[in-house]
Amino acid sequence: MQLTEFGWGPFQARSFKAYAGEKSQDYAAGRVMLAYRERYQLLTTQGEVTGTLAGKLRHQTTDSTELPTVGDWVIIQRFDSDQQAVICGVLPRKSQFLRKAPGSRTAAQVIAANLDTLFLVCGLDGDFNLRRIERYLVMAWESGASPIVLLNKADLCDDLDVKLLEVAAIAPGVPIISLSALYPDNLDALTPYLQPGQTIALLGSSGVGKSTLTNQLMGRSVQATQAVRADDSK
């Protein structure tokens, strides 16, 4: 397994070398694909392994946003079994997607790191909301990722040209793509963004078609979908 397939590049290589120094042979790199409390599923050159935080990292980290999250590149040491690893450090992030921590007025929570592109998905049915798109754009720009506005359910829209102009007015310079996720033959416009080593996340409200789009791009059902209530499509 080549880490470059999952986004490893010169930035990460330099950061890894600075961290490991002359002892680089004692460490390996992995990318977090799943985080659950203090257990992590990692992608490494040897495949998937389970990682846990080293005691030193856990106790010396005073800011929870500095702990590993999905998308992070981490420094690991393996156990003898090769299926377990200890996470010794987190490499610097190129981008990070933040939200307010639940139950807190000020604390932030990192929910994804090292994103290259954010697909901001909005439905062209009753979900269409310019103010929401504006909020998503601000979140994308603040994260450091590049936003792409995806207007889904174009087959249900009678005034597509008008809505495209409205979105263009609030998103200058941002690519805007209209599509219908139900039909894979009209997803070609996404191809330039779906390149090896690129990390993409989908952001959008419930019912806009994120799961359907994910399934189409993966070529198989990886996300459960359900019908949208009629009231939500008006």
Side-chain angles (χ1 to χ4, degrees):
M1 185 178 294
Q2 299 295 318
L3 293 182
T4 52
E5 299 177 14
F6 304 104
W8 182 267
F11 176 81
Q12 289 79 20
R14 289 192 299 270
S15 300
F16 178 83
K17 186 176 181 180
Y19 180 95
E22 296 180 356
K23 297 182 178 180
S24 60
Q25 70 276 5
D26 298 330
Y27 296 97
R31 193 167 195 193
V32 179
M33 59 181 294
L34 180 65
Y36 181 72
R37 300 194 179 187
E38 293 187 359
R39 296 188 67 83
Y40 303 86
Q41 198 69 17
L42 310 174
L43 288 168
T44 74
T45 55
Q46 302 302 314
E48 295 184 19
V49 301
T50 299
T52 56
L53 296 178
K56 183 178 180 180
L57 176 62
R58 183 189 304 110
H59 295 302
Q60 291 186 351
T61 302
T62 58
D63 185 345
S64 62
T65 63
E66 297 176 358
L67 291 173
T69 191
V70 173
D72 265 326
W73 287 100
V74 294
I75 304 292
I76 62 174
Q77 289 182 310
R78 293 182 180 278
F79 292 147
D80 292 338
S81 68
D82 272 350
Q83 298 303 310
Q84 299 281 330
V86 175
I87 299 174
C88 304
V90 181
L91 292 182
R93 296 164 178 155
K94 295 177 65 176
S95 64
Q96 59 181 12
F97 191 77
L98 298 168
R99 70 177 179 186
K100 189 182 73 171
S104 172
R105 292 185 177 182
T106 58
Q109 179 181 27
V110 183
I111 58 174
N114 298 307
L115 301 177
D116 296 299
T117 303
L118 267 172
F119 284 162
L120 311 180
V121 188
C122 178
L124 284 165
D125 50 4
D127 180 78
F128 186 77
N129 187 312
L130 290 172
R131 302 291 79 79
R132 183 186 297 130
I133 295 174
E134 285 183 324
R135 292 194 297 272
Y136 288 163
L137 286 167
V138 170
M139 294 168 71
W141 284 323
E142 289 181 344
S143 76
S146 299
I148 311 292
V149 178
L150 301 188
L151 300 178
N152 190 28
K153 306 182 184 181
D155 53 318
L156 302 178
C157 184
D158 295 327
D159 57 347
L160 178 58
D161 291 340
V162 172
K163 285 185 168 55
L164 287 172
L165 289 173
E166 291 177 343
V167 176
I170 64 170
V174 176
I176 303 166
I177 300 172
S178 61
L179 50 83
S180 297
L182 286 173
Y183 308 106
D185 58 352
N186 71 125
L187 303 183
D188 291 345
L190 303 183
T191 301
Y193 309 103
L194 306 176
Q195 301 300 316
Q198 292 292 297
T199 302
I200 297 170
L202 278 67
L203 177 64
S205 59
S206 176
V208 297
K210 299 187 301 298
S211 295
T212 300
L213 180 59
T214 298
N215 291 340
Q216 294 286 21
L217 294 176
M218 294 295 293
R220 65 184 191 278
S221 181
V222 295
Q223 293 282 334
T225 62
Q226 59 184 8
V228 178
R229 294 174 302 177
D231 288 345
D232 293 337
S233 294
K234 295 179 180 178

